[in-house]
């Protein structure tokens, strides 16, 4: 009788009963039962079913990446010359906003520089936010759309001389706003305006210029303003014009009254006489900034500054300045006050400064500065709790969302660097995910990829942006709940495209490989990876490019192993990729030689069993083990590469340095099992037929391994090879047979099944039967049948198959079985074949649910084998007297001299 694989499942992993109930829900009960039985029999045929337990995907541990104790921008490796620094000073920001602001009324700057300059009235700055150009002034008043071809920079608040500042392309900041752009005049005497207060005259002030440059006489300005009452509103909004024009409106009493009334209203606004609780005056933003500016940045009380900063933020929040556009000049005044403390050692002060700056939605260099400030704080994990305050993370991510990885490269480098650090904190990771950081990161990757494809010039630091971004992304995918959103956002296609476009950048490649190795453990992510047609070609290129970089190779190989383990189509695509198998074998050889070299050098404190080289070997061989699950590929690899693979595997199995690495040994044994599954003893040219004794010799010691997993894989290989009489003879002649018998006492179900499966094949030979009897094998099998059969019908089927093959050619069972053993078998088999007792089934039972359950179907296969064995025993006992007569008359007995032809050569489980 042929051995069947009773626990095989359908290719999609569903149980047979369930699959057929779903597929045949409209058929009759008899049809469903018959088809279900037929399906399980076909699936158990080891010659046609290649998805059975005999050949299976090889699993392995994901490469481990220890976290750096220190948070660094580029890790502990030697930094490249063009990398942005991880440590820096923010002192330059103190001069970053050293830009002029038009002073309030009647404020004349002198050459004296105050140690603590007072702050201009903010209310006035907001109301009279004028340009320093009279051209723009007149345009505001008279709606004249004439622009000046050059811009004049305003004088500094602290009267420092103007210095030309380098302006970067594609960078917007408060340093180069239109009204602040520097313009150099070679000859001041030739300076002139292109637009005047009137077509005939220039505007000139007799007094010291109020707008930072020489002006025409007041009288001319006064005359140009006498154009009609329709412009009164705009005139009144320009106090400097009014107060510096002595002859203004002298002939109009009505206008004089209006002017006085306007001045009185303005005075009332500027005089804060409202008292809080009737006692103390209400503090304004002017008061807060004045207090900050009067504080000595070299010697101050941390608590005082922190309170002032919190008061400033509270005032801005109360006055609705958080979400409204703040004028550039007001920003400058606030920034100048804040930047005096950016070198503080107190993180509370720095986080307050960062929050206020982020509220003002700064751009350009100021954006880079605040991102550096956030990065500086995030470098220390002790400060993680500071980022839970109010809306700080929201403001930070909003600033990042307004940044371009090309135009604001420096800001994005430090922003994503900070995000990489913060996402190392599980709670902060959850928070940034809830805030929707993932879609933004994917968008930035897409922008970078598009610019690279279009060959659009961008800052060299954009590559560093992608490195920091992918580093932060790796932290995000440590949360499995993000995988659905990860797929929805199209992250995998963008990552794979970046992997291809930036394949020459080892840092970016390493980060992306880390992310892919993590998400590839998810089946949905694997499906998304398979849909990318170029993924296999990209991986092969990277294998060749980074052959010596084990950190990259081990993760890419692990990812590839996951893909081909789960999806058959991926196996075909990879195998068809040019020189894919050659590339894998090259990697294997490279790291095998490296490991052997380490062993020969006897390097101290180097753990060979856990070396990265061996880890690469494990991941690479796993790809081959999983790709040969496809029968066509498995046979093709055996034909093309089988001899080399077997030699390489045996080299490792017999080498002492590798024997201690259990995972590597297990990987090799599993790969040998998958490859030997396609061995056919009918083909003498088969590589496993040629090398079967070499293989048996190489794996013999692993039948006594301390690892049950290694023994199981060894048994599976022996099960495949023992289809050949050559291997069966070798087992019978060596210690392997005794080791197999000893394993029958184990309690591990899988190990029992694989070991008994080998005996199914061995019982084809008379020599093995005699050894089995002498070793007490029958009694061990009966003991197992008694102990486990009712709870494991598959195990019972295998035991019955061994016993059937054991006694199939014997007329007198007493030659092989004792009377007690025969009696025990009669009782056990009769009990286990009682269908009514086990399932409540009798001749009147018609319920389909009973007959299509998995347990019943497996039991039914057990019953087929057990019934034959029981009938043989009963027939022997019924004819025992006749057998005795035949024994006394040898001529009446025709002894069998043939080997059993009923055994189908057991394939490994």
């Amino acid at each position: 009788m042929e051995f069947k694989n009773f626990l095989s499942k359908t290719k999609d992993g569903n149980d047979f009963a369930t699959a057929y109930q779903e597929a045949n829900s409209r058929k009759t009960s008899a049809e469903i039962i018959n088809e279900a039985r037929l399906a399980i029999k076909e699936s158990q045929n080891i010659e046609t079913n290649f998805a059975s337990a005999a050949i299976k995907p090889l699993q392995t541990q994901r490469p481990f990446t220890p976290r750096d104790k220190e948070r660094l921008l580029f890790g502990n490796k030697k930094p490249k010359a063009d990398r942005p620094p991880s440590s820096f000073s923010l002192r330059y920001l103190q001069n970053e906003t050293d830009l002029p602001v038009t002073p309030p009324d009647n404020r004349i700057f002198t050459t004296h520089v105050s140690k603590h300059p007072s702050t201009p009235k903010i209310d006035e700055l907001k109301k009279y936010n004028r340009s320093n150009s009279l051209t723009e002034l007149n345009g505001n008043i008279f709606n004249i759309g004439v622009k000046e071809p050059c811009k004049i920079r305003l004088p500094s608040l602290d009267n420092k001389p103007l210095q030309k500042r380098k302006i970067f392309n594609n960078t917007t900041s408060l340093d180069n706003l239109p009204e602040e752009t520097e313009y150099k005049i070679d000859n001041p005497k030739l300076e002139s305006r292109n637009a005047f207060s009137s077509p005939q005259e220039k505007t000139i002030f007799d007094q010291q210029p109020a707008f930072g440059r020489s002006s025409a006489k007041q009288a001319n300005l006064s005359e140009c303003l006498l154009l009609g009452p329709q412009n009164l509103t705009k005139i009144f909004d320009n106090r400097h014009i009014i107060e510096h024009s002595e002859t203004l409106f002298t002939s109009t009493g009505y206008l004089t009254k209006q002017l006085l009334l306007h001045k009185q209203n303005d005075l009332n606004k500027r005089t804060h006489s409202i008292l809080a609780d009737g006692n103390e005056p209400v503090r304004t933003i002017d008061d807060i900034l004045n207090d900050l500016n009067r504080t000595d940045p070299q010697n101050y009380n941390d608590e005082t500054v922190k309170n002032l900063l919190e008061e400033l933020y509270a005032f801005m929040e109360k006055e609705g300045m958080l979400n409204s556009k703040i004028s550039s000049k007001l920003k400058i005044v606030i920034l100048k006050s804040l930047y005096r403390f950016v070198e503080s050692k107190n993180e509370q002060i720095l986080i307050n400064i960062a929050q206020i700056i982020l509220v003002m939605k700064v751009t350009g260099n100021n954006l880079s500065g605040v991102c550096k400030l956030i990065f500086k704080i995030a470098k220390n994990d002790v400060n993680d709790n500071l980022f839970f305050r109010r809306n700080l993370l929201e403001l930070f991510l909003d600033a990042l969302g307004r940044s371009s990885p090309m135009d604001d490269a420096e800001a994005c480098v430090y922003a994503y660097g900070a995000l990489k650090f913060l996402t190392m904190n599980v709670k902060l990771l959850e928070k940034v995910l809830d805030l929707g950081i993932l879609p933004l990161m994917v968008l930035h990757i897409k922008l970078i990829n598009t610019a690279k494809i279009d060959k659009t010039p961008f800052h060299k630091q954009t590559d560093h942006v992608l490195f920091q971004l992918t580093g932060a992304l790796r932290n995000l995918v440590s949360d499995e709940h993000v995988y659905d959103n990860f797929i929805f956002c199209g992250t995998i296609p963008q990552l794979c495209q970046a992997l291809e476009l930036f394949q020459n950048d080892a840092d970016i490649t390493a980060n992306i490989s880390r992310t892919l190795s993590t998400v590839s453990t998810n089946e949905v992510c694997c499906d998304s990876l398979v849909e990318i047609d170029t993924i296999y070609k990209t991986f092969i290129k990277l294998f060749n490019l980074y052959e010596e970089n084990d950190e990259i190779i081990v993760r890419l190989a692990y990812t590839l192993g996951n893909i081909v383990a789960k999806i058959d189509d991926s196996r075909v695509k990879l195998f068809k990729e040019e020189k894919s198998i050659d590339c894998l074998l090259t990697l294997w050889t490279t790291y095998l030689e490296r490991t052997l070299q380490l062993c020969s050098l006897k390097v101290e404190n180097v753990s060979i069993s856990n070396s990265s080289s061996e880890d690469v070997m494990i991941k690479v061989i796993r790809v081959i083990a999983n790709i040969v699950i496809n029968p066509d590929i498995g046979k093709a690899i055996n034909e093309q590469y089988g001899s080399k693979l077997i030699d390489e595997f045996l080299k490792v199995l017999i080498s002492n340095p590798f024997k201690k690495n259990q995972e590597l040994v297990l990987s090799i044994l599993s790969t040998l099992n998958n490859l030997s599954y396609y061995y056919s003893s009918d083909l003498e040219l088969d590589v496993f037929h040629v090398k079967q004794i070499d293989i048996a010799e190489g794996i013999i010691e692993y039948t006594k391994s301390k690892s049950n997993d290694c023994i199981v894989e060894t048994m599976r290989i022996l099960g495949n090879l023992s289809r050949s009489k050559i291997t069966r003879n070798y087992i019978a002649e060596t210690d392997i047979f005794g080791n197999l018998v000893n394993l029958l006492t184990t309690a591990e179900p899988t190990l029992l099944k694989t070991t008994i499966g080998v005996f199914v094949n061995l019982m084809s030979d008379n020599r093995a039967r005699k050894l089995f009897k002498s070793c007490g094998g029958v009694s061990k099998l009966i003991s197992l049948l008694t102990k486990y059969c009712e709870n494991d019908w598959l195990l019972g089927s295998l035991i019955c198959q061994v016993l059937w093959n054991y006694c199939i050619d014997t007329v007198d069972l007493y030659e092989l079985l004792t009377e007690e053993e025969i009696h025990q078998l009669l009782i056990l088999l009769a009990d286990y074949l009682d269908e009514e007792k086990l399932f409540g089934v009798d001749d009147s039972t018609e319920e389909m649910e009973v007959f299509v359950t998995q347990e019943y179907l497996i039991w039914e296969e057990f019953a087929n084998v057990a019934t034959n064995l029981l009938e043989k025993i009963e027939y022997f006992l019924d004819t025992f007297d006749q057998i005795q007569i035949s024994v006394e008359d040898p001529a009446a007995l025709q002894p069998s001299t043939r080997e059993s032809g009923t055994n189908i050569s057991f394939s490994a489980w």
Side-chain angles (χ1 to χ4, degrees):
M1 181 178 179
E2 294 185 352
F3 169 79
K4 307 290 185 181
N5 184 352
F6 302 112
L7 277 187
S8 299
K9 291 186 177 182
T10 55
K11 291 183 179 180
D12 61 357
N14 293 325
D15 295 336
F16 293 110
T18 304
Y20 272 82
Q21 283 175 343
E22 294 176 352
N24 302 276
S25 57
R26 296 183 180 180
K27 297 180 180 180
T28 65
S29 300
E31 289 175 332
I32 294 175
I33 294 172
N34 291 334
E35 291 184 5
R37 289 174 177 172
L38 179 62
I40 194 170
K41 289 180 180 180
E42 290 179 349
S43 65
Q44 291 163 357
N45 189 335
I46 59 176
E47 294 295 326
T48 59
N49 178 31
F50 296 97
S52 69
I55 183 169
K56 64 189 189 318
L58 174 60
Q59 303 301 328
T60 185
Q61 298 177 356
R62 184 166 57 83
F64 172 70
T65 304
R67 289 190 175 184
D68 295 330
K69 295 181 180 179
E70 187 177 0
R71 295 183 177 184
L72 297 175
L73 195 61
F74 283 93
N76 293 318
K77 295 183 178 180
K78 184 178 180 181
K80 296 179 180 178
D82 59 344
R83 284 178 175 175
S86 180
S87 300
F88 45 78
S89 172
L90 295 173
R91 192 176 301 279
Y92 75 95
L93 290 175
Q94 297 179 13
N95 297 322
E96 194 65 27
T97 57
D98 192 13
L99 300 173
V101 179
T102 304
D105 303 330
N106 302 326
R107 183 167 295 180
I108 308 293
F109 285 97
T110 64
T111 56
H112 173 70
V113 180
S114 173
K115 183 177 182 181
H116 305 296
S118 59
T119 306
K121 296 293 184 181
I122 302 304
D123 290 339
E124 297 168 3
L125 290 175
K126 288 194 290 184
K127 183 175 180 180
Y128 308 112
N129 184 19
R130 300 181 300 277
S131 169
N132 63 331
S133 170
L134 284 180
T135 300
E136 297 180 13
L137 172 66
N138 295 337
N140 290 333
I141 297 177
F142 305 113
N143 297 320
I144 300 175
V146 181
K147 291 186 177 180
E148 202 172 7
C150 56
K151 304 299 178 183
I152 307 300
R153 179 171 176 172
L154 297 175
S156 173
L157 283 176
D158 52 7
N159 295 320
K160 292 182 180 179
L162 291 175
Q163 296 179 354
K164 188 167 183 178
R165 182 170 298 162
K166 183 177 180 181
I167 301 176
F168 295 91
N169 294 333
N170 300 325
T171 302
T172 303
S173 101
L174 296 179
D175 293 341
N176 56 8
L177 291 171
E179 66 268 28
E180 300 158 6
T181 306
E182 182 180 14
Y183 174 70
K184 182 177 180 180
I185 302 176
D186 295 333
N187 190 349
K189 294 181 180 181
L190 299 179
E191 180 184 0
S192 62
R193 293 189 176 93
N194 294 327
F196 309 107
S197 299
S198 68
Q200 295 84 13
E201 299 174 336
K202 297 180 179 179
T203 302
I204 303 174
F205 286 129
D206 290 335
Q207 298 181 9
Q208 183 173 347
F211 299 96
R213 57 172 125 172
S214 59
S215 58
K217 294 182 179 180
Q218 270 185 317
N220 295 331
L221 176 62
S222 301
E223 292 178 7
C224 80
L225 292 174
L226 297 175
L227 297 179
Q230 67 273 17
N231 292 315
L232 286 179
T233 301
K234 293 180 179 180
I235 292 173
F236 291 148
D237 285 339
N238 291 271
R239 187 181 302 105
H240 279 73
I241 298 176
I242 297 171
E243 295 182 353
H244 291 88
S245 302
E246 296 177 355
T247 60
L248 185 63
F249 310 133
T250 54
S251 60
T252 306
Y254 171 78
L255 294 179
T256 303
K257 292 180 181 180
Q258 293 296 324
L259 175 61
L260 293 175
L261 180 61
H262 178 78
K263 284 188 173 183
Q264 183 62 40
N265 290 337
D266 180 65
L267 181 61
N268 291 337
K269 291 180 181 179
R270 295 170 57 194
T271 304
H272 300 279
S273 58
I274 302 176
L275 301 180
D277 299 329
N279 296 319
E280 297 180 0
V282 177
R283 280 174 62 82
T284 66
I285 194 170
D286 299 334
D287 301 326
I288 301 171
L289 294 177
N290 281 331
D291 288 347
L292 282 173
N293 288 327
R294 281 194 292 267
T295 302
D296 186 353
Q298 305 300 325
N299 184 18
Y300 58 86
N301 181 274
D302 287 352
E303 195 65 26
T304 300
V305 173
K306 188 185 75 169
N307 291 337
L308 286 172
L309 292 173
E310 291 177 353
E311 185 181 6
L312 175 59
Y313 182 86
F315 182 91
M316 296 174 69
E317 185 177 34
K318 180 181 178 181
E319 296 298 322
M321 300 170 65
L322 301 187
N323 298 318
S324 61
K325 185 176 180 181
I326 305 175
S327 68
S328 60
K329 294 181 180 178
L330 177 57
K331 287 182 183 179
I332 294 173
V333 174
I334 296 176
L335 290 173
K336 185 173 179 63
S337 301
L338 297 178
Y339 283 163
R340 300 173 75 244
F341 305 99
V342 290
E343 288 296 310
S344 173
K345 303 298 182 182
N346 189 312
E347 288 81 4
Q348 292 278 356
I349 291 177
L350 297 180
I351 207 73
N352 281 323
I353 292 174
Q355 190 170 22
I356 296 172
I357 296 175
L358 290 172
V359 161
M360 295 189 289
K361 300 185 184 299
V362 294
T363 58
N365 291 340
N366 292 310
L367 177 61
S368 299
V370 72
C371 288
K372 288 182 177 180
L373 190 58
I374 294 290
F375 173 84
K376 181 178 181 180
I377 301 170
K379 281 180 64 176
N380 191 341
D381 57 358
V382 177
N383 300 327
D384 285 353
N385 63 306
L386 298 178
F387 289 89
F388 289 102
R389 58 182 298 162
R390 287 188 285 185
N391 61 340
L392 178 61
L393 276 179
E394 289 88 335
L395 293 172
F396 175 50
L397 297 186
D398 174 71
L400 185 56
R402 290 183 287 103
S403 306
S404 164
M406 280 74 70
D407 300 332
D408 305 301
E410 185 181 35
C412 288
V413 166
Y414 289 101
Y416 277 118
L419 192 62
K420 179 175 66 176
F421 297 155
L422 296 177
T423 50
M424 295 171 68
N425 183 303
V426 177
K427 293 183 178 180
L428 286 174
L429 170 62
E430 293 176 356
K431 189 169 183 179
V432 297
L433 282 173
D434 291 340
L435 292 174
I437 186 61
L438 184 59
L440 174 61
M441 298 173 79
V442 177
L443 174 62
H444 279 177
I445 296 175
K446 187 174 183 178
L447 290 174
I448 296 173
N449 287 343
T450 303
K452 187 78 169 180
I453 294 172
D454 297 340
K455 298 181 179 180
T456 304
F458 51 75
H459 199 286
K460 62 182 180 180
Q461 287 202 16
T462 299
D463 287 5
H464 300 319
V465 174
L466 186 58
F467 171 72
Q468 300 301 331
L469 193 161
T470 51
L473 187 62
R474 165 60 187 87
N475 292 341
L476 261 60
V477 297
S478 60
D479 184 354
E480 294 183 1
H481 297 93
V482 80
Y483 287 169
D484 290 340
N485 199 22
F486 194 82
I487 298 297
F488 178 77
C489 294
T491 316
I492 287 181
Q494 295 302 326
L495 275 180
C496 292
Q497 188 174 57
L499 189 64
E500 182 178 0
L501 294 172
F502 295 88
Q503 59 183 276
N504 292 321
D505 191 311
D507 293 329
I508 294 175
T509 301
N511 269 353
I512 296 178
S513 65
R514 290 178 61 203
T515 302
L516 293 180
S517 71
T518 303
V519 301
S520 65
T521 58
N522 179 271
E523 291 188 7
V524 180
C525 292
C526 276
D527 292 337
S528 182
L529 282 167
V530 172
E531 293 174 0
I532 302 171
D533 294 332
T534 60
I535 187 68
Y536 308 101
K537 182 177 292 185
T538 301
F539 273 44
I540 298 303
K541 286 182 179 178
L542 293 172
F543 284 151
N544 292 322
L545 185 61
Y546 294 103
E547 182 178 324
E548 299 294 330
N549 191 324
D550 54 87
E551 292 184 2
I552 292 177
I553 297 298
V554 72
R555 288 172 177 82
L556 292 179
Y558 176 75
T559 302
L560 195 57
N562 286 340
I563 296 174
V564 297
K566 298 172 182 176
I567 305 171
D568 190 67
D569 186 50
S570 64
R571 300 168 190 144
V572 177
K573 290 180 179 179
L574 176 60
F575 182 71
K576 290 183 177 180
E577 191 63 46
E578 185 179 2
K579 296 184 178 180
S580 57
I581 306 301
D582 293 324
C583 178
L584 292 172
L585 290 178
T586 300
L587 287 175
W588 167 271
T589 304
T590 299
Y591 285 90
L592 173 61
E593 293 176 353
R594 177 188 294 185
T595 306
L596 291 175
Q597 185 178 10
L598 287 173
C599 296
S600 63
L601 293 176
K602 297 181 179 179
V603 182
E604 294 182 0
N605 300 324
V606 174
S607 178
I608 301 300
S609 60
N610 295 317
S611 68
S612 58
S613 297
E614 290 187 357
D615 201 18
V616 173
M617 294 169 63
I618 293 169
K619 275 31 175 198
V620 169
I621 201 59
R622 176 171 174 258
V623 176
I624 296 177
N626 291 340
I627 196 176
V628 300
I629 293 175
N630 180 286
D632 295 330
I633 296 175
K635 294 174 182 178
I637 287 183
N638 272 351
E639 293 176 3
Q640 300 175 35
Y641 305 97
S643 180
K644 179 175 177 58
L645 286 171
I646 291 173
D647 291 342
E648 291 292 322
F649 295 161
L650 294 179
K651 188 186 301 182
V652 174
L653 292 177
I654 64 177
S655 299
N656 289 327
F658 298 105
K659 292 179 182 179
K660 296 180 181 179
N661 191 327
Q662 180 179 318
E663 187 179 5
L664 177 60
V665 170
L666 182 60
S667 298
I668 292 175
L669 293 174
S670 297
T671 308
L672 275 174
N673 167 50
N674 286 359
L675 288 170
S676 62
Y677 184 83
Y678 304 106
Y679 161 57
S680 174
S681 58
D682 297 334
L683 302 176
E684 293 187 358
L685 296 179
D686 187 287
V687 64
F688 280 90
H689 184 80
V690 175
K691 293 181 175 289
Q692 58 182 305
I693 299 302
D694 295 334
I695 297 172
E697 290 177 344
I699 65 175
I700 185 173
E701 67 176 291
Y702 295 103
T703 60
K704 297 183 293 184
S705 173
K706 295 180 180 179
S707 167
N708 280 346
D709 292 333
C710 288
I711 300 176
V712 166
E713 293 305 320
T714 304
M715 293 300 105
R716 286 172 172 157
I717 297 171
L718 290 176
N720 292 332
L721 297 181
S722 60
R723 285 177 280 178
S724 168
K725 186 174 179 61
I726 298 175
T727 299
R728 293 199 298 270
N729 289 336
Y730 178 81
I731 293 175
E733 293 171 355
T734 61
D735 294 336
I736 297 180
F737 194 94
N739 294 338
L740 295 179
V741 174
N742 293 334
L743 290 175
L744 294 178
T745 59
T746 183
E748 208 284 313
T750 303
L751 181 53
L752 276 176
K753 292 186 179 84
T754 53
T755 304
I756 294 173
V758 177
F759 280 113
V760 171
N761 292 347
L762 291 175
M763 292 302 101
S764 299
D765 300 334
N766 285 325
R767 181 179 181 181
R769 293 170 186 164
K770 293 178 181 179
L771 286 173
F772 191 67
K773 179 181 179 181
S774 64
C775 293
V778 175
S779 61
K780 288 182 171 61
L781 290 182
I782 293 176
S783 176
L784 292 174
L785 197 64
T786 305
K787 191 173 184 180
Y788 299 113
C789 183
E790 192 169 357
N791 297 318
D792 192 339
W793 297 115
L794 173 57
L795 180 61
S797 300
L798 289 170
I799 293 172
C800 291
Q801 182 67 64
V802 174
L803 293 174
W804 171 258
N805 288 350
Y806 174 68
C807 61
I808 190 171
D809 292 331
T810 301
V811 176
D812 186 0
L813 290 181
Y814 285 132
E815 291 181 356
L816 299 176
L817 302 172
T818 65
E819 183 175 354
E820 182 182 358
E821 290 171 345
I822 292 176
H823 180 69
Q824 287 178 325
L825 283 174
L826 279 174
I827 296 175
L828 289 172
L829 293 177
D831 194 35
Y832 292 152
L833 290 173
D834 190 342
E835 191 174 7
E836 182 178 359
K837 176 183 176 182
L838 294 172
F839 302 100
V841 176
D842 54 28
D843 295 338
S844 62
T845 303
E846 296 182 356
E847 295 184 5
M848 179 191 64
E849 291 78 5
V850 176
F851 299 114
V852 295
T853 60
Q854 181 174 332
E855 182 182 5
Y856 183 86
L857 291 172
I858 296 175
W859 172 86
E860 192 174 39
E861 292 301 322
F862 159 79
N864 290 335
V865 183
T867 299
N868 290 336
L869 180 60
L870 179 61
E871 289 177 350
K872 184 176 181 65
I873 296 174
E874 290 177 340
Y875 179 78
F876 166 75
L877 294 177
D878 290 341
T879 60
F880 178 72
D881 293 337
Q882 298 180 8
I883 294 175
Q884 287 292 97
I885 296 173
S886 298
V887 171
E888 294 175 359
D889 184 7
L893 182 63
Q894 298 293 331
S896 174
T897 58
R898 64 182 176 86
E899 296 289 349
S900 172
T902 60
N903 173 53
I904 68 147
S905 299
F906 165 76
S907 279
W909 280 81

